[in-house]
Amino acid sequence: AVFLAVLFVSLSKTAMTREHAEISLGLAQSFYQMGRYEEAIRVYSELARQKPLARSVEWLLGNAYYRAGDFTNAEKCYRAALENAAHKPAAMLNLALTLYRQGRLDESAELYGRFLAQYETQHTFGAAKARTALHLLQQQRALTNRAANALSI
């Protein structure tokens, strides 16, 4: 791990070539898989500053922020990743979950609904997640309404 950190520091001080970017991406993914999210964030952030790479790394950086519990930065990254067609469906689902974790239930439900409208037939696994999330959000709203009615004067 120390070797990997030294390698990353030396790579980040030079202009990033494609080979360096691939090594750095592998390093970030290794940190992520080991649960070392802060280190993954550092490497992904450096990659995101590289213009040709920025769009493809935003989604990965968002995942690391999410796992680290930094939902504000995860949201920013997922919103940026929505601009990348390759990552848009996953970024949309992850953003909806991030909004949910922030207590922004209406925004989360709206995004799950948009996902279904745009990707239901192409992304059946994601569509199943979105349908389940919407169902649970509806149940949560109904329970909240029942509780409010029961407690009202």
Side-chain angles (χ1 to χ4, degrees):
V2 173
F3 168 73
L4 296 176
V6 170
L7 176 64
F8 172 69
V9 169
S10 68
L11 290 175
S12 64
K13 290 183 178 182
T14 62
M16 191 153 312
T17 65
R18 181 178 172 87
E19 182 179 349
H20 290 147
E22 288 174 7
I23 292 169
S24 294
L25 185 59
L27 175 63
Q29 290 169 333
S30 293
F31 283 143
Y32 182 87
Q33 290 169 352
M34 290 186 290
R36 295 166 61 181
Y37 303 119
E38 294 301 324
E39 291 163 289
I41 288 168
R42 227 179 352 266
V43 178
Y44 284 136
S45 293
E46 181 63 34
L47 285 166
R49 283 191 279 280
Q50 307 301 316
K51 292 299 179 205
L53 298 172
R55 289 197 185 248
S56 62
V57 174
E58 289 293 344
W59 177 69
L60 296 169
L61 180 56
N63 291 346
Y65 276 124
Y66 181 90
R67 292 291 181 139
D70 185 344
F71 302 123
T72 301
N73 279 315
E75 177 185 350
K76 289 176 189 175
C77 291
Y78 292 142
R79 287 192 187 281
L82 289 175
E83 302 300 317
N84 182 339
H87 295 294
K88 186 173 182 172
M92 190 178 284
L93 286 175
N94 289 5
L95 177 57
L97 180 59
T98 301
L99 293 171
Y100 175 82
R101 293 291 303 265
Q102 293 174 323
R104 295 158 61 187
L105 306 184
D106 290 337
E107 291 174 80
S108 177
E110 188 271 328
L111 206 51
Y112 281 124
R114 275 187 25 215
F115 180 89
L116 287 172
Q118 292 178 11
Y119 300 109
E120 187 164 19
T121 57
Q122 301 106 316
H123 298 279
T124 55
F125 182 70
K129 284 182 169 183
R131 279 191 298 278
T132 300
L134 280 172
H135 178 72
L136 293 172
L137 282 165
Q138 289 169 347
Q139 286 183 328
Q140 186 172 358
R141 282 186 187 138
L143 182 60
T144 301
N145 289 338
R146 281 196 302 264
N149 289 337
L151 296 173
S152 67
I153 299 175

